Amino acid sequence: MSLSVNFTEAVNNAIEAIKYPYVTPGLFAPIRYTLDGGGKRIRPRLLLAAYLACGGKEISEAMPQALGLEMFHNFTLLHDDVMDNADIRRGRPTVHRKWDVPSAILSGDAMLTMASQLMGECEDSKLREILRLFNDTAMEIYEGQQMDMEFENRNDVSVDEYMEMIRLKTSVLLACACRTGAYLAGASEEDCKLFYDYGIALGLAFQLRDDWLDTFGDPLEFGKEIGGDIINAKKTWLLITAMQEAPEEISDILAEDLENAERIFQVKRTYNSLNLDARCSRLVNSYVEHAVACLDKIDITPEARDFFADLARRSANRTH
């Protein structure tokens, strides 16, 4: 089947068609609210595209797993918002603000269980591997979140530690999506592994581009104010590299009692003196090219190869 399918529309229609129990609507209203909030749907899109690329016939056959990963992703966001005490998600009040914290926690728990149920809707012969991969991925994401939390109280985080954290927190779920789609379609173990490696590289490029956009992006295109990571002294590749290469300068700026705009200006000036804008962009591109190199070894059509290569390259140049 051609990969010209509108995957986003198909996923959104499937999300809209989810039937929730009516016995306890208070449990499921926050779930529907969370899923209706939109997002890029990149994880289910990757899963469905990999499924078709590796010989799958109808995307409906892999839709339960696509929904399962999207459900799981949104569960992590819901609980992240509680942990971060965040007010806004995708331009709307977070669940714990619209309802309350206990509702957010319980509905998040229900989302996790629903995700597991959806992942298990496959042939018995594939069930064990699908659930193993899903559960392993979930545990890695929790580990990545724990690392991210611990980084908040450390000033000695290395670039290698940071890259491992974003691999766990971001990349593994993209990789899981790719491998799951390929596996459901009956791809060889070698091709499943290559698709997984593609997803890892794509995720690293995606997160590093996020770091870049938060500091160097256009606020009108990015959709929010620039410099939030700097204001919060969030450990990103940019800040960690600057702390290693200009430690006194960065420490002095972060220690000063500055207005937000002035702090952003001074930190960006240090970043520019270290050429971090261009260096971060080059690193993003290196991961994109690694992702594309994986595709060249997979037994898929030129059309499918171009689809995934274009997706990777667009991630390196996205503006929001």
Side-chain angles (χ1 to χ4, degrees):
M1 178 180 284
S2 170
L3 268 70
S4 61
V5 178
N6 188 329
F7 294 111
T8 302
E9 181 180 4
V11 171
N12 286 337
N13 289 340
I15 287 173
E16 185 63 30
I18 293 175
K19 290 181 170 51
Y20 298 95
Y22 291 99
V23 178
T24 52
L27 176 64
F28 298 101
I31 298 176
R32 181 179 289 280
Y33 175 82
T34 299
L35 292 173
D36 287 348
K40 298 179 178 66
R41 310 295 194 207
I42 189 170
R43 294 152 192 85
R45 284 164 48 205
L46 283 170
L47 190 153
L48 296 173
Y51 177 75
L52 292 183
C54 292
K57 301 305 181 185
E58 299 292 337
I59 61 172
S60 59
E61 297 170 354
M63 188 60 77
Q65 289 71 36
L67 292 181
L69 291 192
E70 185 67 3
M71 183 80 74
F72 177 81
H73 170 61
N74 280 274
F75 144 72
T76 65
L77 299 182
L78 194 159
H79 275 193
D80 280 357
D81 288 340
V82 173
M83 288 186 282
D84 296 340
N85 199 28
D87 295 325
I88 301 294
R89 168 71 66 179
R90 295 169 179 160
R92 307 187 307 168
T94 50
V95 168
H96 68 278
R97 287 284 180 255
K98 185 173 176 62
W99 282 272
D100 49 48
V101 170
S103 295
I105 293 173
L106 188 58
S107 292
D109 292 345
M111 289 181 80
L112 174 58
T113 299
M114 291 178 70
S116 299
Q117 291 173 328
L118 286 162
M119 295 303 295
E121 291 184 21
C122 62
E123 298 174 12
D124 288 348
S125 61
K126 292 182 167 64
L127 179 62
R128 183 183 181 92
E129 173 60 17
I130 291 295
L131 291 183
R132 181 203 64 76
L133 176 59
F134 174 71
N135 287 321
D136 286 352
T137 300
M139 289 303 297
E140 287 183 311
I141 290 169
Y142 306 151
E143 290 173 2
Q145 176 67 7
Q146 180 65 33
M147 290 177 70
D148 197 18
M149 291 166 53
E150 292 175 358
F151 287 177
E152 294 177 10
N153 300 313
R154 288 180 51 195
N155 291 320
D156 62 343
V157 179
S158 68
V159 168
D160 286 346
E161 286 179 298
Y162 177 72
M163 296 305 298
E164 174 63 4
M165 185 273 289
I166 64 173
R167 184 189 73 83
L168 293 168
K169 191 173 177 181
T170 301
S171 291
V172 295
L173 193 54
L174 300 184
C176 174
C178 293
R179 182 181 175 94
T180 298
Y183 181 77
L184 287 171
S188 67
E189 173 57 27
E190 181 180 0
D191 283 352
C192 286
K193 183 180 186 306
L194 285 165
F195 253 126
Y196 187 89
D197 292 344
Y198 164 87
I200 291 292
L202 176 65
L204 294 175
F206 195 91
Q207 184 58 55
L208 287 167
R209 181 64 176 177
D210 254 7
D211 293 356
W212 186 95
L213 285 170
D214 193 88
T215 298
F216 297 108
D218 181 338
L220 294 180
E221 294 191 62
F222 191 37
K224 60 182 180 180
E225 291 298 317
I226 297 298
D229 289 346
I230 293 174
I231 293 169
N232 296 311
K234 185 173 177 60
K235 304 303 189 305
T236 64
W237 182 90
L238 294 165
L239 182 60
I240 293 168
T241 303
M243 292 175 75
Q244 291 178 343
E245 298 181 8
E248 293 185 7
E249 189 173 342
I250 285 292
S251 295
D252 289 346
I253 295 170
L254 295 181
E256 277 192 81
D257 184 17
L258 301 172
E259 295 291 331
N260 286 342
E262 180 62 21
R263 187 182 304 279
I264 293 168
F265 172 78
Q266 291 197 25
V267 170
K268 284 184 68 175
R269 184 173 60 189
T270 301
Y271 287 177
N272 288 330
S273 72
L274 297 170
N275 199 30
L276 296 189
D277 176 348
R279 289 167 62 188
C280 185
S281 294
R282 286 197 295 270
L283 186 59
V284 169
N285 287 327
S286 72
Y287 283 112
V288 167
E289 292 312 309
H290 178 72
V292 172
C294 291
L295 298 173
D296 293 332
K297 303 173 186 176
I298 303 176
D299 183 20
I300 51 178
T301 66
E303 178 201 11
R305 186 262 184 205
D306 290 346
F307 174 91
F308 285 101
D310 181 62
L311 190 154
R313 290 188 171 121
R314 279 188 284 115
S315 75
N317 298 300
R318 64 192 176 88
T319 57
H320 61 279

